[in-house]
Amino acid sequence: MQYSRLRLPWKRLKKGQGFFVPCLDFEKMRQHGLSRAISMRILDAQATAGIKDGVAGVWFFRKPSTRPGAPPR
């Protein structure tokens, strides 16, 4: 799989939101997704391997705001 061809929706995510990418090589996908987030200056990005609806993959998400009542960025 060519990870460089994937379009990851980092720019559209607000804090506390995420997306799932089905894949077989969790570590390679996790590294690629997080490096793309950092290149877009999204420093609160995180990733975890898991299963969603019976499909293995990586869940990428932005950490929720730690300040109560803080507006989303």
Side-chain angles (χ1 to χ4, degrees), residues 18-34:
F19 60 93
F20 184 78
V21 178
C23 65
L24 295 175
D25 190 349
F26 304 126
E27 188 59 27
K28 189 171 181 181
M29 184 68 232
R30 187 184 73 79
Q31 289 176 354
H32 173 72
L34 292 176

Side-chain angles (χ1 to χ4, degrees), residues 3-49:
Y3 294 109
S4 60
R5 299 183 82 190
L6 289 175
R7 293 181 183 224
L8 303 176
W10 284 116
K11 289 288 186 181
R12 292 181 283 181
L13 289 183
K14 296 178 181 165
K15 289 186 178 278
Q17 294 181 329
F19 60 93
F20 184 78
V21 178
C23 65
L24 295 175
D25 190 349
F26 304 126
E27 188 59 27
K28 189 171 181 181
M29 184 68 232
R30 187 184 73 79
Q31 289 176 354
H32 173 72
L34 292 176
S35 69
R36 292 287 298 266
I38 289 175
S39 71
M40 294 179 192
R41 299 180 188 257
I42 299 171
L43 304 178
D44 60 349
Q46 295 201 352
T48 185

